[in-house]
Amino acid sequence: MLVVAELAFLALSPAGYEFEPQAVPEQALLGGERLDEARELGSDYRALYGLGLLCQAALLLALALGRPRAAERLWRRLDRRPALGSIAAGALLWIAISLVALPASLLSHERAVEAGISIQDLGSWLYDFALGTAIGTLLAALALGLLASIWRRLGSRWWIPAGLAVVAISAAYVWLSPILLGPAFNDFRELPDGDPVRADVIRLAERADVEVGEVLSVDASRRGRSLNAYVGGLGATKQVVIYDNLLSAAQRAELRSVLGHELGHVAAHDLARGLGFIAIVAPLGLLFAGLLARALVAGRRIQPGSPASLPALLLAIGLAVTVLG
């Protein structure tokens, strides 16, 4: 990971200094046994992630096709008040897909504990899962309620303004995450003036012509042993966040390498590129999702944008996001 991170210094090097990155074999960093363990762990993670996705897709497909009957009757009742009903349906759907993927998520957590990556006990992990599900439920209810309202009002042309809404929601999420979401899960501490790590961040940022806001450490060590950092937020909420594990375990050069990698994302305008990619693909992805959702509920006299159409729409959006991602 640190070898890959060094490539970020291409963007951060002083003027006139150039070098060719050298390929380093994996075996030079990790022995064969450790590499086998890492590959096995990655394979397990992918399998469990795929299992969770399949469970969610199967549930949404059943709901989209009107099964079970009790769920179909519930959607029909919510159809009586489309605006509030769509928000309620969005919340119920998010809770349902979170719970159906819970066994796979729990197995993934246990695998991380077994591998020594996570040190979080089950009670703490379940608390995080419940909190994350609660926040996700609120966001999904509002987002699906908005998309359903646009679909109901504009019919076949709904995907154009809905695509713009997705871009706006994505930008708002990035902007608000450091203020509302991060502090819900972790404790952050600002590195004071004079701290050598803070000074390194400022020097690297200046060299890359990057503006940074706060420089913070986060208490990642209470959950796991990963060494990492990231740049979060947008505009006034931008902040450099460094895992306390990294601060305590990494040597100075390693720490600068990781920080250089993260600041390299900012120097390369990766966040703006990401939002630009969403702006390009979201309208066409929603056009596809709307057409697929209509096909799934065809013959059941379900109005597009009604609460009863949302299981099919969420399934179609999930399929589009998976393929585009």
Side-chain angles (χ1 to χ4, degrees):
M1 179 63 185
L2 295 181
V3 173
V4 176
E6 289 286 356
L7 297 178
F9 279 114
L10 288 171
L12 304 177
S13 300
Y17 179 63
E18 297 180 0
F19 62 89
E20 284 292 328
Q22 299 298 309
V24 178
E26 294 172 323
Q27 289 78 5
L29 299 176
L30 295 173
E33 183 178 347
R34 294 293 289 168
L35 280 174
D36 290 341
E37 291 176 4
R39 289 169 179 149
E40 182 181 358
L41 181 62
S43 178
D44 291 346
Y45 277 160
R46 287 190 294 273
L48 290 169
Y49 177 72
L51 176 62
L53 281 182
L54 285 175
C55 291
Q56 291 175 328
L59 173 63
L60 288 175
L61 180 60
L63 295 173
L65 297 177
R67 299 290 186 274
R69 293 295 185 187
E72 177 76 353
R73 290 192 294 269
L74 174 60
W75 307 135
R76 298 288 186 179
R77 284 198 295 271
L78 292 176
D79 280 350
R80 297 169 188 169
R81 302 187 66 182
L84 291 177
S86 295
I87 294 174
L92 290 172
L93 286 171
W94 193 262
I95 292 171
I97 64 173
S98 298
L99 291 178
V100 78
L102 176 58
S105 299
L106 182 56
L107 287 173
S108 183
H109 164 68
E110 292 299 323
R111 186 68 179 89
V113 172
E114 178 186 319
I117 295 173
S118 174
I119 60 173
Q120 191 173 19
D121 61 49
L122 180 59
S124 174
W125 185 87
L126 288 173
Y127 173 82
D128 282 351
F129 174 83
L131 179 59
T133 300
I135 294 172
T137 298
L138 175 61
L139 298 176
L142 296 175
L144 282 174
L146 176 61
L147 292 180
S149 176
I150 295 173
W151 198 11
R152 282 195 310 273
R153 295 173 185 276
L154 298 182
S156 61
R157 298 188 305 275
W158 79 287
W159 53 278
I160 301 173
L164 297 175
V166 168
V167 176
I169 291 171
S170 301
Y173 179 86
V174 174
W175 182 60
L176 290 172
S177 287
I179 302 173
L180 300 180
L181 299 184
F185 292 91
N186 289 97
D187 292 329
F188 295 82
R189 178 180 64 86
E190 185 169 9
L191 299 186
D193 292 337
D195 185 284
V197 175
R198 178 185 174 85
D200 275 347
V201 171
I202 300 302
R203 279 194 294 268
L204 287 169
E206 289 175 348
R207 187 182 298 179
D209 195 23
V210 167
E211 291 186 8
V212 297
E214 298 176 306
V215 181
L216 310 172
S217 69
V218 61
D219 60 337
S221 60
R222 66 188 181 90
R223 289 190 178 90
R225 295 189 172 93
S226 298
L227 309 182
N228 208 350
Y230 65 89
V231 180
L234 188 66
T237 67
K238 186 183 294 182
Q239 54 186 214
V240 178
V241 180
I242 308 168
Y243 282 23
D244 58 350
N245 295 341
L246 185 65
L247 289 171
S248 62
Q251 298 180 12
R252 188 78 174 271
E254 295 171 329
L255 180 59
R256 285 168 53 85
S257 179
V258 175
L259 293 172
H261 175 93
E262 300 306 327
L263 290 170
H265 286 299
V266 183
H269 307 292
D270 285 347
L271 179 56
R273 293 170 188 267
L275 292 174
F277 177 74
I278 292 173
I280 292 170
V281 303
L284 294 179
L286 289 171
L287 173 61
F288 161 80
L291 293 173
L292 179 57
R294 282 177 180 269
L296 287 172
V297 300
R300 290 170 51 213
R301 294 182 296 176
I302 290 178
Q303 180 72 21
S306 66
S309 71
L310 290 187
L313 180 63
L314 185 56
L315 173 62
I317 289 175
L319 178 59
V321 167
T322 301
V323 172
L324 291 170

